[in-house]
Amino acid sequence: MISCDKCSGRAVIFQKYSGKHLCAQHFEEDVHRKVKEVLRAYRIFGKPCRIAVAVSGGKDSSSLLMILHNLFSYRDDVELLAISIDEGIEGYRTKTIQAAEAVAKQLGIEHVVEKLEDNFGVTTDLMASQGHAQGPCSFCGVLRKGLLNKTARELSADAVATGHNLDDEAQTVMLNYLKGDVDRLYRLRPKRALAGMVPRIKPLRRVPEKEMGIYAITHNIPIDTSACPYISRAMRQEVKDLLNEIEAKHPGTKYSIMKGFDKILAREPPGSYEVIPCNRCGEPSSDGICASCRLLDRVRAEQSL
Ligand code: SF4
């Protein structure tokens, strides 16, 4: 048996980047410490606040709900609620939403489910069946993000917490570097409270993906591990494999990527991002037509060809 470096308990993980073996209790403390440090930097606590957690039913978002519950359930000034967006993907989303429902119920947290179909009159299955050039993910992602923001705002949330972990974030940063997409890189920075937009927070951005899996297992969190049938992330998968290979040889590389990225963001001149209401639906936009309306226009135009 390999022992924890902090007590005599059985180690459940070896963190190559820290050189430590940790038992279940010290591992949990380590995850909670990282999440608390990230949350402190967002500066949203200190006054009563309502956090909407975007829960898909997978290991990251369901663990996030439990972590925030573990950290805040004793506080009267922090309220949690869970939101799931149902994109309309037959045989997949129904199962993952059931898993999200189970974890919210177990923790006694209100769970709200909103459907793309009820809000936009389309489903991801429908868009996929129409064979648009860009593939279902481009539509699904934009509409889901918009609906998540709208739902959180209507439920008076002060912030939306998403389950992006360290690996997701490091991959996204590297992908945008590789594509030379500086605009997208800047869009990753924490959002201020702009008109109609609920600030987004990523409490897990310092927790490696593998550790989120271990957290879910060690806490018996009901999760669904099925993958979306439309997933197509060829380049992201290549970047993921590459980063995992480099991390194995040089532990701590993913943390270094994020540290470097945060330093770049800190140098950005302030005030370069303005938000105005969409002329059609009133949702936030940068130029008078929001991303969801622009996208639905394209879907309708392609349908009429
Ligand atoms: Fe939507 Fe693509 Fe994610 Fe599937 S993989 S849920 S289609 S964004």
Side-chain angles (χ1 to χ4, degrees):
M1 177 184 100
I2 298 177
S3 301
C4 174
D5 288 330
K6 297 193 174 188
C7 70
S8 54
R10 186 174 69 85
V12 295
I13 185 170
F14 174 59
Q15 292 174 329
K16 225 172 166 184
Y17 57 87
S18 72
K20 284 185 190 131
H21 292 94
L22 297 174
C23 65
Q25 188 201 325
H26 285 108
F27 166 64
E28 181 190 66
E29 282 177 15
D30 191 64
V31 171
H32 288 186
R33 175 185 58 81
K34 286 171 182 153
V35 170
K36 280 195 263 184
E37 282 170 7
V38 171
L39 290 175
R40 231 170 270 138
Y42 283 118
R43 295 198 187 116
I44 50 167
F45 298 97
K47 55 179 173 31
C49 74
R50 189 164 153 84
I51 308 291
V53 184
V55 187
S56 67
K59 69 178 187 321
D60 298 305
S61 57
S62 292
S63 297
L64 173 62
L65 192 65
M66 185 170 278
I67 290 169
L68 295 179
H69 173 80
N70 288 341
L71 291 178
F72 295 118
S73 58
Y74 70 96
R75 280 176 56 166
D76 293 335
D77 59 340
V78 181
E79 195 188 341
L80 298 176
L81 70 134
I83 299 178
S84 298
I85 302 297
D86 183 346
E87 303 94 339
I89 303 172
E90 192 67 37
Y92 162 67
R93 194 44 98 202
T94 326
K95 281 196 291 168
T96 66
I97 286 183
Q98 276 167 2
E101 232 161 52
V103 69
K105 193 169 171 200
Q106 184 184 325
L107 300 172
I109 294 173
E110 177 191 356
H111 181 223
V112 176
V113 181
E114 277 294 332
K115 297 183 174 197
L116 288 196
E117 190 168 20
D118 295 342
N119 287 271
F120 302 113
V122 290
T123 63
T124 296
D125 277 341
L126 177 74
M127 289 184 285
S129 71
Q130 291 172 339
H132 299 284
Q134 288 150 308
C137 287
S138 346
F139 297 100
C140 181
V142 169
L143 296 183
R144 184 181 53 212
K145 232 186 230 176
L147 185 53
L148 178 62
N149 182 67
K150 180 172 173 264
T151 308
R153 193 184 62 232
E154 287 173 356
L155 292 166
S156 309
D158 297 294
V160 175
T162 62
H164 296 90
N165 59 44
L166 172 68
D167 293 51
D168 297 327
E169 293 294 276
Q171 287 159 24
T172 303
V173 169
M174 282 308 289
L175 261 173
N176 287 316
Y177 280 143
L178 293 173
K179 291 179 178 174
D181 199 336
V182 178
D183 286 348
R184 253 177 210 275
L185 271 174
Y186 275 125
R187 266 186 253 150
L188 291 174
R189 72 193 190 279
K191 304 276 188 300
R192 287 171 287 132
L194 296 162
M197 283 177 74
V198 182
R200 286 185 154 229
I201 60 173
K202 297 175 181 174
L204 304 180
R205 74 192 292 273
R206 288 193 52 211
V207 186
E209 178 168 13
K210 177 181 155 196
E211 298 189 15
M212 289 320 303
I214 295 175
Y215 193 97
I217 293 168
T218 52
H219 290 77
N220 293 319
I221 299 175
I223 56 170
D224 189 283
T225 53
S226 32
C228 174
Y230 303 122
I231 199 158
S232 125
R233 295 179 159 179
M235 191 162 176
R236 180 175 281 270
Q237 189 58 49
E238 283 174 39
V239 170
K240 181 176 183 171
D241 294 343
L242 182 72
L243 289 183
N244 284 343
E245 209 178 294
I246 300 175
E247 178 76 31
K249 287 186 201 151
H250 307 282
T253 298
K254 291 172 190 170
Y255 280 113
S256 305
I257 291 171
M258 294 313 296
K259 252 190 228 159
F261 176 60
D262 286 345
K263 279 186 195 161
I264 293 174
L265 287 190
R267 290 179 190 181
E268 186 215 10
S272 56
Y273 188 58
E274 230 192 286
V275 171
I276 52 173
C278 172
N279 296 331
R280 308 218 190 123
C281 68
E283 287 301 305
S285 77
S286 56
D287 59 1
I289 306 276
C290 73
S292 298
C293 284
R294 205 178 288 283
L295 202 134
L296 291 168
D297 276 353
R298 229 169 39 223
V299 173
R300 286 176 199 124
E302 287 187 32
Q303 274 168 349
S304 61
L305 284 180

